[in-house]
Amino acid sequence: MEKEIEKKNLRILCLHGFRGSGEILKKLIFRWPESVTGKLDLVFLDAPFPAQGKSPLEGFFDPPYFEWFQSNKDFTEFYNFDECLEYIEDFMLKNGPFDGVLGFSQGAVLGAAIPGMQRDGVALTKVPKIKFVILISGAKFGGPTYGIPKLATNAFSSPINSPSLHFLGETDFQRKDGEILLECFVDPQVVHHSKGHTIPKLDDSNVEIMLGFIEKNSTTFKQGTSLSTV
């Protein structure tokens, strides 16, 4: 029985970017080597709200496109944020449990706040706590760019203990936000790449970083709690 448990991959909920989709994120993530993706049970979810404007992905990937939540132009007021979290919780209840969350762009902004909101008992309280996050082109609510939705008010009020892996692109317009997000986690690991606001392919050194992160967390969770058998 013990050997059977050890074969289980980390089950990860994947949250796509602004006006993207689960299918688009899946195509981009599976450009990564099988040596990485083969060790993960990746579940891709479409956000609950249809895109309310033109997607930057039009012409590159087919529609439909979705948004996790909406805001005003300067990101000081947020709409449908509570509904978004309820939607994710419902999906996790029906399809979990999940070990971690992977997010890109808007999905990473949301994913970064989940451990803190769960810690404070204000969101996703009906599902097990997320054990780690992988954040690609992420940002912090309350950082340089984004204000703070009410439910995320205290998400970063104290350092987040959850293991975290952060992707920082040299030419990413959100790079500064990503660097500030690093400071919110107790022991963040970083994948540096030369691209911009995108999901990069992985070179050999970054494959090593990812495999190390996966192995470390797989080992930790096998020792602590059983991994998902779903």
Side-chain angles (χ1 to χ4, degrees):
M1 186 56 154
E2 185 177 342
K3 288 183 179 178
E4 185 178 337
I5 291 175
E6 287 180 357
K7 290 179 183 177
K8 298 298 180 184
N9 291 339
L10 294 173
R11 189 165 174 80
I12 300 177
L13 179 62
C14 300
L15 309 178
H16 61 76
F18 181 63
R19 295 180 182 168
S21 70
E23 185 60 30
I24 293 171
L25 181 60
K26 182 177 181 179
K27 287 178 180 177
L28 293 170
I29 291 295
F30 276 93
R31 296 187 307 177
W32 292 352
E34 200 275 337
S35 61
V36 172
T37 58
K39 294 181 181 296
L40 304 172
D41 181 6
L42 300 167
V43 179
F44 297 85
L45 176 63
D46 287 332
F49 306 109
Q52 295 190 348
K54 184 177 174 65
S55 171
L57 301 174
E58 285 183 28
F60 299 97
F61 295 97
D62 293 334
Y65 311 112
F66 303 92
E67 303 172 5
W68 292 105
F69 53 87
Q70 292 86 32
S71 68
N72 60 359
K73 287 185 178 179
D74 56 2
F75 303 109
T76 56
E77 296 179 15
F78 295 87
Y79 317 105
N80 294 319
F81 190 75
D82 295 23
E83 291 83 353
C84 166
L85 293 172
E86 290 169 6
Y87 169 82
I88 290 174
E89 183 174 57
D90 183 62
F91 182 85
M92 293 174 78
L93 281 168
K94 293 174 180 175
N95 299 277
F98 289 92
D99 300 299
V101 165
L102 178 152
F104 167 66
S105 191
Q106 189 186 48
V109 177
L110 178 60
I114 286 176
M117 291 188 292
Q118 282 191 308
R119 177 198 63 210
D120 296 339
V122 298
L124 303 178
T125 57
K126 298 176 185 176
V127 294
K129 289 184 178 179
I130 288 299
K131 302 180 184 79
F132 63 89
V133 290
I134 299 173
L135 307 171
I136 307 169
S137 292
K140 171 190 175 184
F141 283 126
T145 301
Y146 295 91
I148 310 176
K150 186 175 179 181
L151 284 180
T153 298
N154 295 313
F156 300 105
S157 59
S158 60
I160 295 173
N161 268 314
S162 303
S164 60
L165 180 63
H166 305 249
F167 282 62
L168 295 180
E170 285 182 15
T171 59
D172 190 346
F173 67 85
Q174 207 162 269
R175 181 180 174 89
K176 184 62 178 177
D177 289 87
E179 291 172 339
I180 288 172
L181 184 60
L182 283 178
E183 300 169 6
C184 300
F185 289 81
V186 172
D187 186 24
Q189 290 185 260
V190 184
V191 167
H192 293 280
H193 63 90
S194 61
K195 304 297 183 182
H197 197 75
T198 188
I199 297 164
K201 295 181 179 179
L202 301 176
D203 61 23
D204 290 345
S205 63
N206 288 335
V207 166
E208 274 190 41
I209 293 171
M210 283 219 68
L211 290 176
F213 183 81
I214 293 166
E215 180 59 32
K216 181 179 178 181
N217 287 295
S218 296
T219 303
T220 299
F221 302 145
K222 284 170 191 168
Q223 291 172 347
T225 59
S226 295
L227 295 179
S228 163
T229 55
V230 177

